């Protein structure tokens, strides 16, 4: 459906790629950003790759001559304090050929991209041929053929023989194209019968610009832009010569294909204006178009380069243009961190912003270059050099790029026929040396045998190849079904909007309206009217909030009391009776319209944790006296509000991330004492229920195949949820995982993290102090044990936070992961049994723009559907679901109502939630409508009368009195009339 909506790209032409940015800005949100569960076309090629200098090692073995990279690395290695020379040994693939091919077999790839070392075959760059080098590559090709793996062979991957640099100045010389052609002929003649895909060279941009212009890379010539453009001119000529050589002399018999591997970045405009978009187009022209336009279009450089560079840019003759254009049988693309971004000259961004959108680049290439067949011959990201085998960051970048390739094929109509993960194994990463790793297989560079060890990414890529993509799975599909009668559909507001301003009817003063001059009311001093008793209808703010809640069709409303305002001194010596009366009115008005109030006694907020100042000042929850203060406060609330409130939360979302173990200890005891107080003194008369509400985001192992990551995930769940849940819902004590971990940290690292102990009486007090399990859930987090990013690493718990960049994210970067809620609910059931569960808060922030409320609509739809799966498929005793939050005034960007210019407006997400409530979930259209007993109306006015019983009783009394009065008047009137007669 999305493909039909978007349409296929038009056949490309120079400059047509400029429409890419505006096209992708118009795509449907968030649908276009969702993960696509689909497979690649049949026959799609899956592979891995490597480059000779990065992995072969054996720099002077078997008659190999030195390359410019050997010389460059040796020169750097002589500097004081420098690391060992770059690729001298590297992954030692030269001596471990069968080891590498076994890795390919394990992966199950269809092809292997590797490069030939020019200096290994021709030690000086020209004849004579080195037999040992020839035999090495024959062995490799033979073994690949035995396993049915297609070789993709690169003739030149940056390692120019040093002899050619010394004798001719390397690619700066016009004689190099012919020498390269001679080398290519040797390769075609010796290996061509076994090779169907050839790449003449890799990323000529890097060779020309950083090899000969900036001198950042070998051969390190700092010749400035002029030399860089001249070298690129020679590289294009060399490529064309080799393509024509193959086309004229080898293609008829070998039937192969030849191209050139071009690398590119992606760039996005700072602002979506025509000027900025043109600058983005220019940026791609200067990097990718520099080589792609001459080859794929017309044999000449992009117009933007010719107009901006004038005399710096060499010119092609008409003969040369005709010779160069069309010299590629497919478009070979490289895209990754090192080549596409780190080696991108900053001046070539033209003040625009880099981006890692492979999909948009693929569409741009398709539009710009006449919809060519595209072969992704290098793609991946990197991890830290210290990361060993659980390379979660690498996995999620790989997942992102492959997903974007799939979308380019299925949504955008781009013709991509193969993908190559880079690289097969860890190696020397050019200017980054060994500080990063890009391999699927781990190599211990300090070991003698350089044994390959599969990383987690191997298992990920292996399964992806087996499935040919990301096929739809049953658990990914939404289900139809409904929640039961009595299910609690709620909305949350952290705190109700309290406005105790008295109504005009309570003002005892007399006023005169000055209609002639000021037009204002003037108070008449000394004159008063009798005061009347306060009524709930006097609070206009309550009426407004109730009407908004009614409009939503919710059955429950969850809010928190303000302890610090009800008892400002922390005890009963000073009570804010006005506020208490306001809460009483709010709760009673909710009940009047059939909305159940769900009231939390305490919810921590930034200022003083919402504790009375006297308690916050003296240690807050660190102070054991706060326990008794909370119990007294709870008793007061039960007494004052219990007639209206039957659904209590002692503490709402205690902040475990910022809570000391002592504070958590006291908090648990305070909760338990408040629960027992209610159970013994109030439950029988008030018939309510009470529990604690914990924040419970799901935690998933970053590498699903890693036992270490699973242990980390289990540990975080216990510290984040089990810390407070296990004593209440479990065995009355803290999780064993916590105690074991803290014992280990204290003994090994000499820390003093003391987790208090409960007495046996305290365990009995706390264990079972619940009527239900209430939780707040917003997102899911990935965790791993390998330290990758210091800013997201928790040293205390030894956990690395990881981001799956394929997930949908909110403006605040909260991940939208609906299945995390279902996993959490199953986890709670597995740990704590068939306890009644309420999701007390679930929501997402979004842009204030109404258009972007689509994210919240999607969030509610998918999270509630996952809750339905937990209820229907997993038999979780789920009894209620509450959305966070009510409105943007109290929770900016989270509300179902916007608040602008003192006006509340329902967002599309509110209407969508109301529809789900009205349907009790997601019913099958053919299923009979759910009719709950209390909802079967006998007449249209039943609800009106049911909710106004007191009023009806009063009206009935007045009516009876009126009838009686009329009867008596009539009766006595007739008697008087008869008497006078």
């Amino acid at each position: 459906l999305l493909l039909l909506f978007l349409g296929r790209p038009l056949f490309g032409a120079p400059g047509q790629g400029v429409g890419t940015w505006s096209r992708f800005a118009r795509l449907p949100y968030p649908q276009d950003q969702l993960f696509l569960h689909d497979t690649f076309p049949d026959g799609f090629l899956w592979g891995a790759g490597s480059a000779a200098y990065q992995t072969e090692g054996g720099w002077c073995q078997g008659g190999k001559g030195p390359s410019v990279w050997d010389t460059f690395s040796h020169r750097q290695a002589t500097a004081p304090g420098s690391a060992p020379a770059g690729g001298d040994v590297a992954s030692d693939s030269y001596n471990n050929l069968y080891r590498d091919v076994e890795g390919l077999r394990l992966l199950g790839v269809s092809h292997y991209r590797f490069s030939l070392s020019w200096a290994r075959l021709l030690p000086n760059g020209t004849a004579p041929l080195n037999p040992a080098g020839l035999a090495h590559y024959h062995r490799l090709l033979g073994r690949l053929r035995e396993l049915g793996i297609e070789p993709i062979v690169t003739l030149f991957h940056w390692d120019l023989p040093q002899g050619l640099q010394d004798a001719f100045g390397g690619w700066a010389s016009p004689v190099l194209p012919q020498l390269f052609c001679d080398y290519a002929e040797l390769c075609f003649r010796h290996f061509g019968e076994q090779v169907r895909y050839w790449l003449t060279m890799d990323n000529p941009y890097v060779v020309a610009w950083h090899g000969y212009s900036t001198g950042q890379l070998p051969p390190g010539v700092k010749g400035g832009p002029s030399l860089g453009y001249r070298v690129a001119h020679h590289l294009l000529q060399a490529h064309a010569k080799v393509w024509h050589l193959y086309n004229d002399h080898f293609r008829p018999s070998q039937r192969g294909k030849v191209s050139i591997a071009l690398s590119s970045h992606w760039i996005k405009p700072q602002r979506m204006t025509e000027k900025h978009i043109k600058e983005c187009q220019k940026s791609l022209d200067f990097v990718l178009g520099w080589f792609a336009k001459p080859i794929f279009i017309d044999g000449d450089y992009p117009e933007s380069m010719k107009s901006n560079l004038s005399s710096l840019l060499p010119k092609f003759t008409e003969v040369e243009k005709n010779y160069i254009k069309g010299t590629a049988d497919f478009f070979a693309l490289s895209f990754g961190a090192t080549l596409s971004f780190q080696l991108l000259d900053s001046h070539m961004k033209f003040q625009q912003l880099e981006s890692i959108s492979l999909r948009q680049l693929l569409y741009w290439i398709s539009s710009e270059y006449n919809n060519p067949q595209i072969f992704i011959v290098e793609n991946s990201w990197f991890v830290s050099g210290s990361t060993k085998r659980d390379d979660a960051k690498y996995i999620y970048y790989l997942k992102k790029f492959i997903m974007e390739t799939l979308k380019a094929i299925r949504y955008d109509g781009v013709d991509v026929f193969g993908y190559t993960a880079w690289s097969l194994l860890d190696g020397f990463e050019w200017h980054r040396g060994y500080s990063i790793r890009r391999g699927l297989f781990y190599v211990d560079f300090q070991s003698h045998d350089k044994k390959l060890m599969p990383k987690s990414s191997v298992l990920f890529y292996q399964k992806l190849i087996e499935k040919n993509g990301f096929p739809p799975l049953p658990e990914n599909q939404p289900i139809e079904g409904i929640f039961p009668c009595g299910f609690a559909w709620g909305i949350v507001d952290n705190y109700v909007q309290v406005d105790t301003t008295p109504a005009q009817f309570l003002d005892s003063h007399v006023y005169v309206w000055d209609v002639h001059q000021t037009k204002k009311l003037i108070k008449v001093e000394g004159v008063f009217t009798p005061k009347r008793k306060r009524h709930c209808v006097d609070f206009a703010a309550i009426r407004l909030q109730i009407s908004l809640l009614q409009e939503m069709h919710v059955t429950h409303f969850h809010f928190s009391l303000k302890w610090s305002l009800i008892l400002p001194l922390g005890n009963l010596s000073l009570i804010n009776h006005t506020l208490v009366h306001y809460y009483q009115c709010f709760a009673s008005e909710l009940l009047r319209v059939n909305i159940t109030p769900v009231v939390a006694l305490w919810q921590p907020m930034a200022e003083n944790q919402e504790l009375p100042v006297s308690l916050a000042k003296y240690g807050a929850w660190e102070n054991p006296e706060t326990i008794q203060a909370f119990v007294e406060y709870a008793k007061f609330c039960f007494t004052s509000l219990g007639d209206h409130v039957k659904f209590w939360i002692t503490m709402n979302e205690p902040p475990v991330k910022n809570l000391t173990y002592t504070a958590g200890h006291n908090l648990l005891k305070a909760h338990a004492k408040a629960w027992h107080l209610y159970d013994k003194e109030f439950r029988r008369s008030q018939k309510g229920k009470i529990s604690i509400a914990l924040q419970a985001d799901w935690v998933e192992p970053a590498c699903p195949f890693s036992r270490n990551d699973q242990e980390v995930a289990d540990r975080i769940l216990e510290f984040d949820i089990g810390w407070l849940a296990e004593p209440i819902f479990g065995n009355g004590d803290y999780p064993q995982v916590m105690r074991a971990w803290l014992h280990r940290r204290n003994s090994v690292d000499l820390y003093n993290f003391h987790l208090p102990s409960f007495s046996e009486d305290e365990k009995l007090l706390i264990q079972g102090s619940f009527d239900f399990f209430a939780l707040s859930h917003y997102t899911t987090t990935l965790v791993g044990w390998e330290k990758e990013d210091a800013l997201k690493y928790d040293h205390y718990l030894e956990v690395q936070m990881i981001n799956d960049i394929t997930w949908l994210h909110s403006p605040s970067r909260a991940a939208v992961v609906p299945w995390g809620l279902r996993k959490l609910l199953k986890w709670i059931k597995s740990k704590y049994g068939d306890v009644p569960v309420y999701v007390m808060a679930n929501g997402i922030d979004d842009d204030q723009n109404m258009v972007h409320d689509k994210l919240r609509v999607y969030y509610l739809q998918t999270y509630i559907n996952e809750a339905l799966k937990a209820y229907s498929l997993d038999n979780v005793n789920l009894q209620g679901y509450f959305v966070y939050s009510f409105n943007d005034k109290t929770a900016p960007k989270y509300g179902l109502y916007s608040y602008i210019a003192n006006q509340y407006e329902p967002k599309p997400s509110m209407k969508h939630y109301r529809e789900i409530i009205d349907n009790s979930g997601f019913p099958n259209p053919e299923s009979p409508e759910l009719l709950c007993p209390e909802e079967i109306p006998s007449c249209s006015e039943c609800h009106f009368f049911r909710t106004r019983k007191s009023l009806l009783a009063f009206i009935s009394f007045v009516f009876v009195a009126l009838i009686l009065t009329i009867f008596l008047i009539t009766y006595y009137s007739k008697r008087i009339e008869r008497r006078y007669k």
Side-chain angles (χ1 to χ4, degrees):
L1 290 175
L2 196 56
L3 178 58
L4 293 173
F5 175 80
L6 300 176
R8 297 176 71 86
L10 299 173
F11 283 162
Q16 280 201 13
V18 76
T20 302
W21 291 276
S22 59
R23 177 186 184 274
F24 278 87
R26 297 192 305 268
L27 294 180
Y29 176 84
Q31 288 78 11
D32 184 68
Q33 295 186 22
L34 301 179
F35 196 85
L36 174 60
H37 292 281
D38 201 351
T39 55
F40 285 80
D42 292 341
F44 192 82
L45 301 178
W46 294 103
S50 67
Y53 185 74
Q54 290 186 280
T55 59
E56 276 188 1
W59 81 277
C60 60
Q61 275 185 268
K64 177 186 173 295
S67 72
V68 292
W69 267 96
D70 291 317
T71 304
F72 189 82
S73 298
H74 293 163
R75 189 185 309 140
Q76 288 190 327
T78 60
S82 62
D88 285 5
V89 179
S91 318
D92 202 21
S93 289
Y94 180 73
N95 296 304
N96 292 278
L97 181 152
Y98 293 104
R99 174 204 67 179
D100 293 359
V101 178
E102 179 60 21
L104 293 166
R105 187 194 63 78
L106 182 64
L107 280 171
V109 294
S110 58
H111 70 270
Y112 177 46
R113 181 194 168 193
F114 65 94
S115 71
L116 305 174
S117 170
W118 190 346
R120 191 174 295 284
L121 289 168
L122 299 173
N124 295 313
T126 58
L129 175 65
N130 176 21
L134 188 67
H136 171 73
Y137 293 118
H138 269 306
R139 283 196 301 274
L140 175 56
L141 289 168
R143 182 58 180 152
L144 291 175
R145 184 173 67 248
E146 290 173 8
L147 295 177
I149 298 173
E150 188 83 53
I152 313 292
V153 180
T154 308
L155 294 171
F156 169 62
H157 201 128
W158 306 1
D159 48 350
L160 183 73
Q162 184 64 41
L164 297 181
Q165 183 65 34
D166 294 340
F168 304 103
W171 288 107
S173 170
V175 306
L176 254 290
Q178 184 55 52
L179 295 177
F180 182 61
C181 190
D182 295 340
Y183 159 62
E185 182 178 13
L186 179 148
C187 296
F188 294 154
R189 190 168 64 248
H190 285 280
F191 308 127
E193 293 299 328
Q194 298 170 281
V195 179
R196 284 198 308 139
Y197 292 96
W198 291 95
L199 299 173
T200 55
M201 58 185 70
D202 184 88
N203 200 352
Y205 165 84
V206 168
V207 177
W209 196 252
H210 290 303
Y212 292 87
S213 177
T214 68
Q216 183 179 342
L217 298 178
V221 178
K222 298 179 180 179
S226 177
L227 182 58
Y229 291 122
R230 190 162 83 247
V231 165
H233 207 68
H234 295 156
L235 289 167
L236 280 166
Q237 291 170 330
H239 160 76
K241 275 182 175 290
V242 171
W243 186 90
H244 281 287
L245 168 70
Y246 189 85
N247 192 59
D248 296 342
H249 301 285
F250 294 95
R251 192 191 301 275
S253 60
Q254 296 180 0
R255 303 183 183 279
K257 296 183 178 182
V258 179
S259 190
I260 180 173
L262 300 179
S263 182
S264 182
H265 61 306
W266 182 247
I267 195 114
K268 62 182 181 180
Q270 289 200 33
R271 291 186 294 277
M272 282 298 293
T273 64
E274 184 178 351
K275 176 185 175 183
H276 286 90
I277 289 174
K278 283 184 177 179
E279 293 299 286
C280 290
Q281 180 79 1
K282 187 193 299 183
S283 176
L284 292 175
D285 281 345
F286 269 66
V287 178
L288 179 57
W290 185 4
F291 301 93
K293 183 174 175 287
I295 294 170
F296 289 92
I297 300 295
D298 60 4
D300 202 0
Y301 297 116
E303 289 300 319
S304 59
M305 293 186 74
K306 292 196 290 185
S307 61
N308 278 270
L309 299 174
S310 61
S311 59
L312 280 176
L313 197 64
K315 293 180 174 55
F316 290 116
T317 66
E318 290 303 316
V319 173
E320 287 175 325
K321 290 178 185 178
N322 289 326
Y323 190 72
I324 292 171
K325 72 177 181 180
T327 55
D329 300 321
F330 55 91
F331 197 111
L333 176 66
S334 296
F335 186 79
T338 304
L339 307 186
S340 303
F341 297 95
Q342 295 171 3
L343 293 177
L344 174 65
D345 191 286
S346 60
H347 295 96
M348 294 184 182
K349 300 177 193 175
F350 295 99
Q351 299 180 329
Q352 303 310 304
L353 307 172
E354 290 173 81
S355 170
I356 58 170
S357 178
L358 174 58
R359 178 185 171 189
Q360 293 186 46
L361 175 61
L362 289 168
Y363 184 85
W364 186 89
I365 290 169
S366 183
S367 299
E368 190 81 4
Y369 301 121
N370 202 25
N371 197 25
Q373 282 193 307
I374 300 174
F375 194 167
I376 298 173
V377 294
E378 176 177 350
N379 178 237
S380 75
W381 209 247
F382 63 89
V383 294
S384 165
S386 62
T387 299
K388 292 182 172 59
R389 297 179 63 180
D390 287 332
D391 53 342
K393 176 183 171 183
Y394 183 95
I395 288 175
Y396 291 109
Y397 272 94
L398 201 63
K399 181 181 175 185
K400 169 188 167 64
F401 292 135
I402 295 173
M403 170 53 55
E404 291 195 347
T405 303
L406 181 60
K407 286 184 176 181
I409 294 170
R410 297 302 187 195
Y411 289 171
D412 309 327
V414 179
D415 188 359
V416 184
F417 68 92
Y419 179 88
T420 311
W422 199 271
S423 64
L424 173 63
L425 67 167
D426 291 333
F428 176 74
E429 290 300 332
W430 309 115
H431 66 297
R432 298 292 299 273
Y434 296 100
S435 65
I436 62 172
R437 292 176 182 267
R438 295 182 69 197
L440 292 161
F441 286 88
Y442 175 79
V443 176
D444 182 355
F445 296 113
Q446 305 303 317
S447 67
H448 176 71
D449 58 0
K450 304 291 188 294
K451 182 180 178 181
L452 288 193
M453 290 181 281
K455 302 181 186 178
S456 291
S457 54
V458 165
L459 298 174
F460 168 79
Y461 194 43
Q462 181 186 63
K463 290 184 179 296
L464 189 147
I465 293 171
E466 286 177 5
K467 297 175 181 178
N468 197 34
F470 310 98
L473 300 173
E475 57 264 34
N476 303 139
Q477 307 305 307
I479 66 168
E480 293 179 336
I482 56 176
F483 291 94
C485 292
F487 190 80
W489 293 103
I491 189 74
V492 186
D493 207 354
N494 289 334
Y495 298 100
V496 295
Q497 298 159 50
V498 175
D499 183 358
T500 57
T501 304
Q504 58 181 340
F505 306 108
L506 298 178
D507 191 345
S508 60
H509 292 92
V510 175
Y511 297 85
V512 175
W513 186 12
D514 184 0
V515 296
H516 299 293
Q517 297 181 9
T518 64
K519 312 294 183 183
K520 296 180 179 179
L521 291 174
I522 300 173
K523 185 190 297 183
V524 179
E525 298 295 339
V527 181
F528 301 94
T529 59
K531 288 186 177 181
R532 70 163 176 80
K533 186 179 178 181
R534 291 175 180 267
H535 298 292
C536 291
V537 293
D538 296 327
F539 298 118
I542 293 179
R543 295 199 302 273
L544 174 59
Q545 292 177 77
I546 297 292
S547 67
L548 296 176
L549 291 169
Q550 283 182 282
E551 185 181 12
M552 203 180 303
H553 297 181
V554 293
T555 62
H556 290 64
F557 179 54
H558 174 30
F559 63 92
S560 300
L561 305 177
K562 289 200 170 189
W563 184 4
S564 62
L565 296 183
I566 293 174
L567 302 179
L569 300 181
N571 55 48
L572 300 179
S573 63
L574 179 61
I575 300 170
N576 187 338
H577 289 287
T578 302
L579 180 58
V580 173
H581 178 62
Y582 187 92
Y583 284 135
Q584 289 171 338
C585 286
F586 199 99
S588 65
E589 287 298 295
L590 285 171
L591 290 173
R592 186 179 64 79
V593 296
N594 267 2
I595 297 176
T596 301
V598 181
V599 180
L601 295 171
W602 175 69
Q603 176 167 340
M605 298 297 280
E607 186 177 0
N608 293 329
Q609 300 182 51
E610 198 46 55
L611 294 170
V613 174
S614 59
L615 297 177
K617 187 185 298 183
Y618 294 102
W621 287 107
E622 296 274 334
N623 188 343
E625 293 183 6
T626 305
I627 299 173
Q628 189 55 38
F630 179 77
V631 174
E632 291 176 2
Y633 161 64
K635 184 173 185 177
F636 173 77
C637 292
F638 297 152
T639 304
S640 304
L641 301 173
D643 290 339
H644 306 294
V645 179
K646 312 300 179 186
F647 200 140
W648 289 99
I649 302 293
T650 55
M651 298 158 179
N652 194 50
E653 299 183 16
V656 294
K657 300 288 187 185
N658 303 308
L659 206 61
T660 66
Y661 293 130
T662 299
H665 201 69
N666 291 334
L667 189 147
L668 281 167
K669 289 192 281 189
H671 153 77
K673 288 188 174 186
W675 187 90
H676 282 284
L677 169 70
Y678 188 84
D679 190 54
K680 292 175 182 176
E681 298 185 23
F682 295 94
R683 190 188 299 276
R684 181 175 299 175
S685 60
Q686 296 182 359
K687 296 180 172 56
K689 54 188 175 183
I690 183 170
S691 197
I692 188 172
L694 305 176
Q695 179 157 342
D697 287 335
W698 181 244
V699 179
E700 186 79 1
C703 293
F705 318 107
S706 167
R707 183 181 302 173
N708 289 333
D709 282 8
Q710 184 62 61
E711 288 178 0
V712 169
D714 293 342
R715 180 161 69 246
I716 299 305
L717 285 171
E718 294 295 358
F719 271 82
D720 284 0
I721 305 173
W723 174 14
L724 300 182
E726 186 64 28
I728 298 171
F729 301 93
N731 61 11
D733 201 356
Y734 296 116
Q736 184 57 36
V737 169
M738 284 187 73
R739 289 206 181 277
W741 178 258
L742 293 176
H743 177 74
R744 180 196 151 211
R745 293 302 306 267
N746 292 340
S747 59
V748 174
D749 302 323
L750 302 179
Y751 286 103
N752 186 23
F753 298 118
H754 175 63
L755 190 62
S757 297
F758 293 114
S759 67
E760 290 304 315
D761 288 342
E762 288 172 335
K763 289 180 183 179
L764 292 174
L765 175 78
I766 295 169
Q767 185 181 21
S769 58
F770 69 90
D771 295 331
F772 51 88
F773 195 118
L775 63 96
S776 300
H777 175 85
Y778 303 99
T779 189
T780 291
T781 304
L782 293 172
V783 295
W785 72 280
E786 293 262 25
K787 184 177 180 181
E788 179 67 36
D789 181 352
L791 295 177
K792 296 182 179 180
Y793 186 78
D794 185 331
H795 292 271
Y796 170 51
L797 293 176
E798 294 182 7
V799 56
Q800 177 71 61
M801 304 299 172
I802 303 290
N803 181 32
D804 183 341
I805 53 178
T806 66
W807 286 349
L808 193 62
H809 287 81
S810 74
S812 70
R813 302 306 298 162
V816 179
V817 193
W819 50 259
L821 175 58
R822 181 183 178 187
K823 285 199 170 187
L824 171 68
L825 294 173
K826 289 173 67 177
W827 181 82
I828 290 171
K829 180 180 179 181
S830 69
K831 280 188 68 71
Y832 305 120
D834 194 32
V835 57
V837 179
Y838 289 85
V839 177
M840 297 301 298
N842 179 235
I844 193 77
D845 67 290
D846 205 352
D847 197 289
Q848 297 283 25
N849 189 328
M850 281 295 210
V851 175
H852 290 97
D853 193 50
K854 292 178 180 178
L855 175 62
R856 187 176 292 104
V857 169
Y858 170 79
Y859 183 96
L860 296 181
Q861 175 81 12
T862 52
Y863 272 79
I864 296 174
N865 197 264
E866 291 296 320
L868 179 62
K869 291 178 186 177
Y871 170 76
S872 301
L873 305 180
D874 307 326
N875 296 315
V876 174
N877 189 6
L878 184 62
Q879 298 195 1
Y881 172 89
F882 292 65
V883 171
Y884 181 85
S885 166
F886 184 16
N887 61 74
D888 284 342
K889 183 178 182 181
T890 54
K893 298 185 179 182
Y894 281 86
L896 298 193
Y897 284 90
S898 62
Y899 183 75
I900 302 172
N902 295 323
Q903 294 291 322
Y904 293 95
E905 291 293 335
K907 298 180 183 178
S909 53
M910 188 285 281
K911 297 174 182 177
H912 188 70
Y913 183 44
R914 181 174 64 194
E915 182 181 347
I916 294 174
I917 294 173
D918 291 344
N919 291 325
S920 297
F922 311 93
N924 185 316
E926 299 178 359
S927 299
E929 182 181 356
L930 176 68
L931 292 176
C932 297
E934 66 274 19
E935 295 175 355
I936 301 177
S938 57
C939 63
S940 58
E941 295 81 14
C942 288
H943 179 74
F944 175 89
F945 290 117
R946 247 192 339 264
T947 57
R948 292 167 172 81
K949 293 178 181 177
S950 299
L951 178 62
L952 286 174
F954 176 74
I955 292 172
S956 300
F957 171 79
V958 171
F959 180 78
V960 170
L962 179 62
I963 296 298
L964 183 60
T965 302
I966 293 172
F967 171 79
L968 291 173
I969 291 172
T970 304
Y971 174 78
Y972 284 105
S973 295
K974 288 182 178 181
R975 288 192 62 180
I976 293 171
E977 187 179 343
R978 280 199 301 270
R979 184 180 302 169
Y980 281 103
K981 287 181 179 181

